[in-house]
Amino acid sequence: MDHLGLWLAGLLTLGIYSFLYRDNPWYKVSEAIFVGVSAGYWVVYEYWQNFVGKFWDQKGDQPWLWIGAALGLMMLMRLIPKIGWISRWPLSFIIGATSGLWLMLYLTTNCIAQVEATIFPLFGADFDASAIAIFSNFVLVAGTICGVVYFFFSKAHTGAFGATARVGIWTIMITFGAMFALTIMNRMSLLIGRTSFIFGEWLGLLR
């Protein structure tokens, strides 16, 4: 059984990568199996984790859980076209609640944390920073100020102000390039993992 699963995993991996050549039936079958297995896995996971673990086993101690169960049942009404409009009520509740929760999270991590990371002593807390650290601090502060100047559109970008804005756009582009490179590295890590599986575990060519 393990041997059969290994061969299925190898053939399906090659089927997904066959899309690099062109769209073909092998890729479509592999994609359909991947989507179907993922959907089946999450249905079972959500059933045991949320319905059984968080509702069914605790409904007696926490009656308000019936409200969540009712909203979940209303969401399933989308499967019945004639009364599918009922699903809009729990959907609007989910979007509103999620927006409120994520607003605080994003404000803390993407705004306040970024500001705190920029406000620091240039020469170290006790003036004990190394020359490289001091240089990095000045580059970070100068890049941040120039980047902010680039987005100041109430004044023409000419003269010294324009030169500062051009430094800002270069800083922004370098940042975007680093983020793109990080994304490529993550994708390459996935490729290396699947390649290692194909030539190692499946074909046994790597030791």
Side-chain angles (χ1 to χ4, degrees):
M1 188 65 185
D2 293 341
H3 199 65
L4 177 61
L6 188 64
W7 272 86
L8 281 176
L11 292 175
L12 291 176
T13 300
L14 292 180
I16 293 296
Y17 281 122
S18 68
F19 185 75
L20 296 174
Y21 171 63
R22 65 179 182 180
D23 196 5
N24 58 81
W26 189 8
Y27 168 76
K28 291 180 178 178
V29 171
S30 302
E31 182 188 35
I33 292 175
F34 175 76
V35 173
V37 170
S38 299
Y41 172 82
W42 281 108
V43 167
V44 174
Y45 179 84
E46 295 292 340
Y47 173 79
W48 287 105
Q49 290 293 325
N50 291 329
F51 181 76
V52 176
K54 296 181 180 178
F55 168 68
W56 193 258
D57 294 342
Q58 306 179 45
K59 61 183 183 303
D61 301 330
Q62 303 179 30
W64 55 269
L65 288 177
W66 285 98
I67 299 176
L71 291 173
L73 184 62
M74 293 168 64
M75 184 71 81
L76 294 178
M77 295 299 103
R78 194 172 188 83
L79 300 175
I80 307 175
K82 291 185 178 180
I83 55 176
W85 57 271
I86 296 178
S87 64
R88 297 174 185 171
W89 290 88
L91 189 61
S92 62
F93 176 81
I94 292 173
I95 292 176
T98 305
S99 299
L101 292 173
W102 281 96
L103 174 64
M104 296 305 298
L105 180 62
Y106 272 98
L107 184 64
T108 303
T109 58
N110 289 359
C111 181
I112 297 177
Q114 297 294 329
V115 172
E116 289 180 348
T118 308
I119 301 175
F120 52 85
L122 293 176
F123 300 95
D126 298 322
F127 297 94
D128 55 351
S130 64
I132 295 178
I134 295 174
F135 176 75
S136 300
N137 294 341
F138 272 96
V139 170
L140 178 60
V141 172
T144 301
I145 294 175
C146 293
V148 173
V149 168
Y150 172 75
F151 290 101
F152 191 79
F153 299 114
S154 298
K155 179 179 174 58
H157 288 186
T158 57
F161 189 83
T164 304
R166 282 193 293 274
V167 173
I169 188 61
W170 274 101
T171 304
I172 294 171
M173 296 309 296
I174 291 173
T175 304
F176 286 162
M179 295 174 64
F180 180 72
L182 181 61
T183 303
I184 295 297
M185 288 177 61
N186 292 332
R187 298 298 185 271
M188 289 301 295
S189 297
L190 293 175
L191 176 62
I192 292 172
R194 298 318 300 171
T195 304
S196 176
F197 165 76
I198 292 174
F199 291 99
E201 298 179 44
W202 184 33
L203 299 178
L205 299 177
L206 298 178
R207 300 295 180 185

